């Protein structure tokens, strides 16, 4: 019989994540399923790893069309059957996939965002009932109701911080299982490191790149995030990967907006990772701010919407017509009406953004 993990790996995971809210919930769900399926091959640690990685993937991408949710059942069922080499009972395998779905569903249910708590949770629940069976679902959900509810408050508090943080269960699991591979190679910011770090924006067409950066610059000026640069090249140079003082002045409040903006930009595939160019290094050395604040709860929903819009504007894969030549001195912040739609996943950017700016 094939084992997904060696015993020593199980023990490492159990010891490391013992007091982790999501692991504790995982153990509770597993225990209830095991009462009905005592011959399951899966372990609580295996369930936690799969659930954590799947939840992280959904939280990172937003799964806007719930495509990941729809495809997950078949993918995981086939994977588990292959890993077990057919040794486990098919009903046990179905139960293992159902456990995973419930764990991911309970995870997204604690996110304070209508898309996750509404659309994705509903999609996952519908998939479980369709593929695991209504009768099986009613039976296990009745047993899970009280035990799972005991974790609700702790999970809500944990997710409130986890959703906006740089913390990653997937990365942490990798560090536990493969400590040698996960050693950090990034050079920490030293006290005497005064390098004026910049970002490296990757866009193959130079004209398109300049056009997108100019749009982003105008938006950030309109919102009062940055003072108008003395030279437009200063703003563009902040994105070219060649470290130099770009004479940019951050005027937005709270300053936490800048931290989240840089963090979110560096997470995008069209920004290249650079050694030493952390949020802290950029904020202190480039903008001259004395401290970095990761308390993202201080950021309003409106400003989070605006960060989302900046990402859309800079994404080379998003195609839309030229924005109108307005926004400076006309008393109209022309982006406000689309920001909400972008952030709430209600705007089909390629079509609707074109229409808005025509």
């Amino acid at each position: 019989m094939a084992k997904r993990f060696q015993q020593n790996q199980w023990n490492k995971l159990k010891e490391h994540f013992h007091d982790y809210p999501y692991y504790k919930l995982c153990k509770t769900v597993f225990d209830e399923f095991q009462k009905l399926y005592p011959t399951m091959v899966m372990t609580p640690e295996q369930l936690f790893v799969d659930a954590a990685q799947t939840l992280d993937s959904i939280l990172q991408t937003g799964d806007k069309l719930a495509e990941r949710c729809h495809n997950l059942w078949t993918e995981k069922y086939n994977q588990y059957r292959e890993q077990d080499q057919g040794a486990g009972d098919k009903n046990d395998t179905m139960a293992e996939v159902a456990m995973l779905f419930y764990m991911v569903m309970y995870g997204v249910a604690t996110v304070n965002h209508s898309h996750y708590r509404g659309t994705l949770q509903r999609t996952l629940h519908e998939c479980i009932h369709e593929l695991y069976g209504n009768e099986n679902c009613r039976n296990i959900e009745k047993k899970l109701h009280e035990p799972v509810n005991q974790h609700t408050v702790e999970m809500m508090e944990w997710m409130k911080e986890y959703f906006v943080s740089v913390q990653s269960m997937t990365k942490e699991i990798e560090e536990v299982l493969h400590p040698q591979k996960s050693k950090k190679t990034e050079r920490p910011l030293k006290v005497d490191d005064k390098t004026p770090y910049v970002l490296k924006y990757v866009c193959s067409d130079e004209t398109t790149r300049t056009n997108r950066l100019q749009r982003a610059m105008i938006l950030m000026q309109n919102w009062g995030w940055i003072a108008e640069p003395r030279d437009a090249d200063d703003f563009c140079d902040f994105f070219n990967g060649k470290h130099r003082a770009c004479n940019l002045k951050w005027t937005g409040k709270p300053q936490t907006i800048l931290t989240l903006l840089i963090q979110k930009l560096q997470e995008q595939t069209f920004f290249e990772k650079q050694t030493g160019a952390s949020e802290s290094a950029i904020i202190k050395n480039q903008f001259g701010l004395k401290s970095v604040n990761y308390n993202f709860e201080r950021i309003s929903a409106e400003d989070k919407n605006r960060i989302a819009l900046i990402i859309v504007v800079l994404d080379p894969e998003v195609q839309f017509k030229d924005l109108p030549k307005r926004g400076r001195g006309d008393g109209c912040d022309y982006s406000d009406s689309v920001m909400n739609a972008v952030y709430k996943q209600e705007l089909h950017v390629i079509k609707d953004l074109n229409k808005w700016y025509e």
Side-chain angles (χ1 to χ4, degrees):
M1 182 181 298
K3 293 184 178 180
R4 300 183 181 116
F5 291 101
Q6 298 299 321
Q7 186 62 50
N8 66 326
Q9 291 178 307
W10 297 349
N11 293 338
K12 286 180 181 179
L13 288 167
K14 182 177 181 179
E15 181 179 354
H16 183 86
F17 291 101
H18 183 266
D19 295 322
Y20 212 87
Y22 198 56
Y23 176 81
K24 288 191 287 186
L25 175 61
C26 198
K27 184 67 168 61
T28 295
V29 171
F30 180 89
D31 288 345
E32 292 301 320
F33 267 89
Q34 192 173 47
K35 293 174 185 177
L36 297 176
Y37 302 92
T39 58
M40 284 191 305
V41 177
M42 183 178 277
T43 69
E45 290 70 40
Q46 293 166 349
L47 174 61
F48 170 69
V49 169
D50 256 13
Q53 292 173 342
T54 304
L55 180 62
D56 276 349
S57 174
I58 289 175
L59 294 181
Q60 183 177 5
T61 64
D63 198 13
K64 298 176 184 179
L65 303 178
E67 292 178 347
R68 175 70 171 143
C69 295
H70 282 299
N71 298 330
L72 187 59
W73 188 281
T74 301
E75 172 192 328
K76 287 300 179 181
Y77 179 83
N78 291 335
Q79 178 186 331
Y80 293 164
R81 294 302 294 171
E82 182 180 352
Q83 288 174 337
D84 298 337
Q85 297 181 354
D89 184 271
K90 290 185 178 181
N91 289 332
D92 287 349
T93 306
M94 291 286 282
E96 291 173 350
V97 183
M99 279 196 301
L100 173 67
F101 263 71
Y102 277 112
M103 278 305 305
V104 177
M105 187 183 77
Y106 292 142
V108 299
T110 60
V111 179
N112 187 23
H113 191 293
S114 60
H115 175 65
Y116 296 93
R117 190 177 291 180
T119 303
L120 293 187
Q121 181 184 192
R122 184 171 55 253
T123 299
L124 287 162
H125 198 226
E126 289 172 353
C127 287
I128 302 172
H129 273 259
E130 178 183 350
L131 299 165
Y132 186 49
N134 289 327
E135 185 176 349
N136 287 334
C137 288
R138 283 193 292 267
N139 185 27
I140 192 63
E141 286 172 16
K142 184 177 179 180
K143 298 178 183 299
L144 287 172
H145 181 72
E146 185 175 346
V148 168
N149 278 353
Q150 294 177 2
H151 296 273
T152 300
V153 174
E154 185 180 29
M155 277 293 298
M156 293 285 285
E157 288 300 314
W158 168 75
M159 182 57 79
K160 184 189 297 184
E161 179 179 346
Y162 186 76
F163 185 65
V164 296
S165 74
V166 295
Q167 183 183 5
S168 166
M169 289 185 289
T170 300
K171 183 177 180 180
E172 203 167 339
I173 289 168
E174 183 67 18
E175 290 173 349
V176 172
L177 295 179
H178 308 289
Q180 296 302 316
K181 293 182 179 180
S182 61
K183 286 183 178 179
K184 293 183 178 180
T185 58
E186 184 173 325
R187 175 169 56 93
L189 179 64
K190 299 178 181 178
V191 176
D192 60 347
D193 185 355
K194 302 298 182 182
T195 305
Y197 292 106
V198 299
L199 299 173
K200 189 167 184 178
Y201 172 43
V202 180
C203 183
S204 57
D205 184 80
E206 187 61 28
T207 301
T208 300
R209 179 181 185 279
T210 301
N211 185 273
R212 291 177 183 273
L213 286 174
Q214 287 176 342
R215 295 174 184 178
M217 180 179 69
I218 292 173
L219 287 173
M220 291 170 69
Q221 287 176 225
N222 286 347
W223 299 332
W225 284 6
I226 60 171
E228 183 174 358
R230 289 179 295 179
D231 187 329
D233 288 341
D234 285 337
F235 187 85
C236 291
D237 285 352
F238 177 66
F239 293 88
N240 70 9
K242 298 178 182 179
H243 304 312
R244 79 163 182 85
C246 296
N247 304 309
L248 298 180
K249 184 178 180 181
W250 180 260
T251 52
K253 294 185 182 300
Q255 293 180 353
T256 317
I257 295 172
L258 179 59
T259 306
L260 183 59
L261 173 64
I262 293 174
Q263 180 187 110
K264 289 299 182 183
L265 288 176
Q266 296 206 103
E267 289 175 357
Q268 308 308 311
T269 57
F270 45 91
F271 277 83
E272 188 175 303
K273 300 295 183 184
Q274 297 186 99
T275 301
S278 64
E279 297 102 43
S280 177
I282 293 173
I283 289 170
K284 292 179 180 178
N285 294 359
Q286 181 65 249
F287 290 89
L289 303 179
K290 295 181 179 180
S291 61
V292 179
N293 192 333
Y294 288 91
N295 184 16
F296 296 141
E297 291 182 8
R298 298 184 60 203
I299 302 177
S300 68
E302 180 183 42
D303 284 325
K304 288 180 180 179
N305 292 346
R306 289 171 169 175
I307 290 173
L309 183 58
I310 291 294
I311 292 172
V312 169
V313 168
L314 293 180
D315 188 347
E317 296 299 319
V318 175
Q319 301 297 322
F320 48 86
K321 298 177 182 178
D322 289 340
L323 302 183
K325 303 301 182 182
R326 60 174 177 148
R328 285 193 184 188
D330 63 356
C332 179
D333 189 346
Y334 58 80
S335 62
D336 282 347
S337 298
V338 294
M339 288 188 301
N340 249 356
V342 172
Y343 192 65
K344 292 179 179 179
Q345 322 295 342
E346 295 171 354
L347 182 71
H348 301 287
V349 175
I350 295 177
K351 179 180 67 178
D352 296 43
L353 199 58
N354 281 341
K355 181 179 179 181
W356 176 262
Y357 286 117
E358 284 179 347

